[in-house]
Amino acid sequence: MRADEASPAPRILIYSHDTFGLGHLRRSRAIANAIVASSPGARAMIISGSPVVDCYAFAPGVYTVRLPPVTKFSDGGYASLDGTTPLASTVAQRTAIIGRTDASFEPDLILVDKEPAGFHGELMPVLERAAGRGTRLVLGLRDVLDDADRLVPEWERKGAAEIMARFYDEIWVYGLSRIHEPLAALPMDPEMAARIAERLIYTGYLRREVPAMQAGREEPAVARAPFVLVTPGGGGDGAALIDWVIAAYEADPGIPLPSLIAFGPFLDDSTRGGFTARIARLGGRIAAITFDSQIEFLMRKAAGVVAMGGYNTFCEILSFDLRAILVPRTEPRREQAIRALAAEQLGLARVLLEADGRAPERMAAALRALPDQSEPSRVLVPGLLDGLDAVARRVRALAAPGVLRTRARAYS
């Protein structure tokens, strides 16, 4: 018996594989912070593969364990981030760390981000042990995974539907079905489809708040007056967006608002250097920073945003009611494009697709029109930002110590 078993405060283990960018870590952080805020005494442990997890502040009661990082290539392949360790060795190290953390933390609920079996199946030993001892298991999915023609073969290869049906008590989709149904395209026999459907919960998007300001925080001078924030997330695949914005300012001296570009920590040094040189020739019309772990402060101040349309940025656009130009990537996934086009159809944002041409004048026209766009709040979408409240309610219902699992795990 665990020493604190009589306590009503739950322990939540959150697994975030984090093979690329910042999205999984930032989503897990928002969820963990909300859980400990809604349940006094609760503790959340995030297991993350992000190499920048130590750059973020977390609420009291939230702890992190860092996994050896891996990186994702444009063709969908993976490698150890250090470039020398064989990927299989890194996966074995990660699997061992996950197992030790689970054993020592003794969670009441394990929340898995996106990958039902974990990266390269690294979570399977913990899923087996957790199911055997009665720990609640939840799979959390962003609103959009990918196009069906890409998602179906990938998830069939991984046996994802079978794993969901076998192990998971609930499947939370951090979005709304009217925007997208991420599992609708998966081919499943009627019994499996029914098992998964009864566990599926659409929470709404995850509302973001401005965090407590870190001591010594400084912001660029451009943020003291109306400006446009340009953010490609982690930056590893954001060079085309940044180039297009800079080219627009080079081509059009009449764009009304200056821009602040947050390059992101994963933009390579040589590319960032070239952008910095071009920005320096624009006479203060663009400023740039490398990374801001509290970008919510800049979001709140911005007159508008130019972004790629990743999940977390989309949540921030909605939460801070920002006029937005979305320039989604389409490789290696079409997730951002699906989300962006659905948002544009509802009137929540404007979309520029690179496939339609990257003429500087197109971006300049969008930047000129940005101050006159409607804010997202002008569109009434019930439950749009209820995600964190819904997650907190489900955690309280599922994770109180002593609550036993009742659903059978076996699937045949």
Side-chain angles (χ1 to χ4, degrees), residues 113-127:
D113 186 54
K114 182 183 177 289
E115 293 287 343
F119 176 69
H120 280 219
E122 66 187 3
L123 201 58
M124 289 301 294
V126 164
L127 294 181

Side-chain angles (χ1 to χ4, degrees), residues 246-268:
I246 295 174
Y249 279 86
E250 291 169 335
D252 187 346
I255 296 173
L257 295 178
S259 281
L260 172 62
I261 299 176
F263 288 135
F266 304 125
L267 182 69
D268 69 82

